[in-house]
Amino acid sequence: MGASDAGCGDLPPVLSSFVDAFVDFSVSGLFFPPNPTPSPAPAATRIPAPARLVAIGDFHGDLPKALQALSLAGLADPSSARWTGGAAVAVQVGDVLDRGGDELRLLYLLHRLKLDAAAAGGALLTLHGNHEVMNADGDFRYVTRAGLEEFTAWAFWYRSGLAMKHLCSGLDPPRDPFRGVPESFPGVKEEFWEGFRARIAALRPNGPIASRFLAGNQTVLLVGDSLFVHGGLLQQHIDHGLERINQEVKDWIMGLNGRRSPSYLRGRDSVVWLRRFSDGPNCDCGQLEEVLSMIPGARRMVMGHTIQEGINGVCEDKAIRIDVGLSKGCTNGLPEVLEINAGDQPRILTSNPLYDERWKQDRKQQAVVKEQVKEGLAILVPEIILKEVETKG
């Protein structure tokens, strides 16, 4: 091929598409056609309420458990990994990365589901969690051995693709994302150096994985009257501007806004680290109401980040916490998702067969509300838990 560049005249586009599809399949096991449906337009910061809205908590590198949650929500077929949610809108609140070994496979899966959802008239919207921010910043404290191995394998296939593309002079020389990445890491075992190099190359601002998958995330979303954020929002974040936050973070991920994350993504009071409204039953309801009042139309804040024994709400369900520690790298929690249908109260879809027992324990501590048995084991529960629950086996 290299000896006969004249034969490359019509080959570059075909070769490039083939190589990209080859690398994608080798890394993820998923096939993306050379000319896929155009990627969905970037989500706006404020979106009208859909007929069906679903919220899903942190995945943390666990593909099988993520598929269980998506299947429970009626959004994906776990056997084919294709979208089944029709026109539903789903929000995943971040922390796809770290604590597990399926990080890249999850990013690829979510990308394909986004394409499928858009073609079906729905949408899958993803947020940044603190672990996406940490990895883009080069902070790998919560990376697992399996996670490093997955990125090492990605580096092999990505470099193989670069080598293939260099076979034909008709292609523009592809950028080498490994350029400038350190060869060694003092204080880190040498067996992990290649995994560290791969993660830095892939996930740093303007890295191929960051720019392809993470740049499509939002940091905060208002869908109907539900405000979605990984950690939480305070008054100073609203003053900074929700649209401005989303655009600045996107620019940072794309390498257009410096190497280090914006200050409102770092520290205990940042939008991806805040636990003020999600840590235990004590919540500053007054401050929460003040924050919500600053955003026209916002009725509730839906958050991940802080692991709960099950999805729950406080402050009259103005704060809803949906991280159930799903991943085996966390607490291996049973899947639960939040469903908000137009005109209805939010309800929990759960696969937890012990939900009735959890309800009984809460009932002893809370004021009792009127019970109402519904089809599919749906029940009304005390206020500390969202008022309508559907259990699925």
Side-chain angles (χ1 to χ4, degrees), residues 284-328:
D284 187 341
C285 297
Q287 183 175 31
L288 174 65
E289 290 179 5
E290 183 177 342
V291 170
L292 292 173
S293 71
M294 297 174 69
I295 305 171
R299 181 179 179 183
R300 64 182 69 88
M301 190 182 297
V302 182
M303 297 155 283
H305 185 47
T306 303
I307 295 175
Q308 314 289 319
E309 290 187 5
I311 292 177
N312 63 81
V314 293
C315 302
E316 298 179 330
D317 289 346
K318 291 184 175 68
I320 301 180
R321 297 87 71 89
I322 66 170
D323 178 10
V324 294
L326 185 76
S327 169
K328 291 192 237 0

Side-chain angles (χ1 to χ4, degrees), residues 80-324:
S80 67
R82 302 309 295 255
W83 179 260
T84 59
V89 173
V91 180
Q92 195 278 326
V93 296
D95 277 7
V96 171
L97 298 179
D98 286 341
R99 302 189 189 276
D102 302 324
E103 300 162 279
L104 284 167
R105 284 183 283 273
L106 272 170
L107 290 174
Y108 273 94
L109 170 67
L110 293 173
H111 181 64
R112 187 165 79 170
L113 290 176
K114 288 180 181 182
L115 297 175
D116 286 354
L124 172 59
L125 311 172
T126 50
L127 300 186
H128 289 295
N130 57 308
H131 287 265
E132 281 72 51
V133 172
M134 291 169 70
N135 276 270
D137 267 335
D139 183 344
F140 302 146
R141 281 177 287 168
Y142 298 94
V143 170
T144 65
R145 178 188 290 270
L148 291 173
E149 291 171 351
E150 189 186 33
F151 273 83
T152 299
W154 166 84
F156 170 80
W157 291 114
Y158 193 86
R159 285 184 171 123
S160 298
L162 290 179
M164 291 181 195
K165 289 183 178 182
H166 276 112
L167 291 174
C168 186
S169 60
L171 286 173
D172 293 332
R175 183 177 65 86
D176 182 1
F178 298 90
R179 185 173 299 162
V181 177
E183 298 285 343
S184 62
F185 301 88
V188 176
K189 291 182 179 180
E190 188 172 351
E191 63 182 300
F192 301 133
W193 286 0
E194 198 55 38
F196 269 58
R197 293 196 78 236
R199 287 188 84 96
I200 292 172
L203 293 169
R204 64 180 173 175
N206 202 32
I209 297 298
S211 58
R212 183 178 182 187
F213 298 130
L214 301 188
N217 291 353
Q218 295 285 44
T219 306
V220 58
L221 276 173
L222 180 66
V223 184
D225 56 7
S226 297
L227 181 66
F228 294 91
V229 62
H230 184 71
L233 290 175
L234 297 175
Q235 289 89 337
Q236 62 262 33
H237 305 135
I238 312 301
D239 289 338
H240 191 82
L242 305 186
E243 285 82 2
R244 182 180 172 189
I245 287 174
N246 281 338
Q247 187 60 54
E248 288 176 351
V249 175
K250 180 181 176 66
D251 288 346
W252 167 61
I253 291 291
M254 292 299 294
L256 304 175
N257 197 14
R259 284 291 181 189
R260 196 173 186 209
S261 57
S263 60
Y264 48 75
L265 296 181
R266 290 180 269 118
R268 62 185 299 175
D269 283 342
S270 72
V271 297
V272 294
W273 281 98
L274 188 72
R275 299 186 194 273
R276 196 171 300 187
F277 308 129
S278 61
D279 195 4
N282 298 319
C283 177
D284 187 341
C285 297
Q287 183 175 31
L288 174 65
E289 290 179 5
E290 183 177 342
V291 170
L292 292 173
S293 71
M294 297 174 69
I295 305 171
R299 181 179 179 183
R300 64 182 69 88
M301 190 182 297
V302 182
M303 297 155 283
H305 185 47
T306 303
I307 295 175
Q308 314 289 319
E309 290 187 5
I311 292 177
N312 63 81
V314 293
C315 302
E316 298 179 330
D317 289 346
K318 291 184 175 68
I320 301 180
R321 297 87 71 89
I322 66 170
D323 178 10
V324 294

